[in-house]
Amino acid sequence: MKIYFFSPTGRNCQEETEKLPGFKIEAPAEVRVQRGLCVRIPCNFTVGPSYTLTRDAIGIWYTCVSGRVAASTDSSRFPDTTNGRFIFTGKVSAGDCSFSISDAQPGDTDQYEFRLEDRDPLRFSYVGIQPSVSVINLKIPDIYPTKTLMADEEMTLTCTVLANCPGLSPTFTWEGSVNTERTQAHQLQHQDGKLSYRSNITFTPSPRDHNTSLTCIVTNKHGSANASITLKVDCESSAYY
């Protein structure tokens, strides 16, 4: 097999290692994460039949562009350079090479390569799959329901965004002609482990709110995103008519 050496000019992640039976890796080829949020990259690997992983096995994730160590299980050899944002979450001796990114930054956009090091002579860089991570802008939130409102009848609308990060609650702001003081924010955890952050706004529309805009603004420390709807108010049963 071929051993890669760290180079200050970056790692040649296109170079092929010798194909050896049993050395395989399973991980997503592409991952997208919103700026300021987090993502977990699941990963599993195997070694050849003549090798057995020991408790001393070390896992290392390199970036392909800069060649820096993004995450490792050996902090003594590879000190953290990400202020704890990259964490190697998998157990290498069990064939788990998963890692996570929190507070994602534009500079995290890169291709990543996993390297295994165990007792001599086991040194192997897996190039079969090199996850490509893209950091994108905050997604536009959803506002619902969008049905026609009845004048003088209290109504609650919800603004929601999906995330993977507990403890990183965004700030919600509502803007519009209706009363925007009655709001309540909360979070919901789904069965797949993802979170949705929500803000409810309760108001009583009047005929003058018909065809006006209601905007929900979602903000974290790296930026904001907003969505607007046009209120449709049914005034037929209103005392104004």
Side-chain angles (χ1 to χ4, degrees), residues 59-82:
I60 311 157
W61 280 101
Y62 288 96
T63 61
C64 289
V65 174
S66 64
R68 67 177 174 85
V69 174
S72 168
T73 56
D74 189 346
S75 59
S76 62
R77 286 181 55 196
F78 306 102
D80 177 31
T81 60
T82 66

Side-chain angles (χ1 to χ4, degrees), residues 119-192:
R119 295 177 180 175
D120 290 337
L122 184 50
R123 304 283 190 276
F124 194 78
S125 294
Y126 289 79
V127 298
I129 297 178
Q130 297 162 337
S132 177
V133 175
S134 299
V135 179
I136 61 176
N137 292 328
L138 290 176
K139 292 183 179 179
I140 297 174
D142 293 320
I143 301 177
Y144 60 90
T146 57
K147 66 181 182 180
T148 299
L149 310 179
M150 298 300 297
D152 302 324
E153 290 188 10
E154 187 175 87
M155 182 66 186
T156 297
L157 300 183
T158 300
C159 178
T160 182
V161 289
L162 290 175
N164 301 319
C165 310
L168 293 178
S169 300
T171 299
F172 289 88
T173 305
W174 291 89
E175 294 181 353
S177 64
V178 300
N179 183 357
T180 58
E181 295 181 357
R182 294 179 60 191
T183 62
Q184 184 178 23
H186 60 282
Q187 70 179 47
L188 176 67
Q189 184 162 7
H190 302 272
Q191 291 184 347
D192 60 3

Side-chain angles (χ1 to χ4, degrees), residues 49-64:
S50 59
Y51 296 93
T52 300
L53 292 173
T54 73
R55 289 182 296 178
D56 298 326
I58 297 172
I60 311 157
W61 280 101
Y62 288 96
T63 61
C64 289

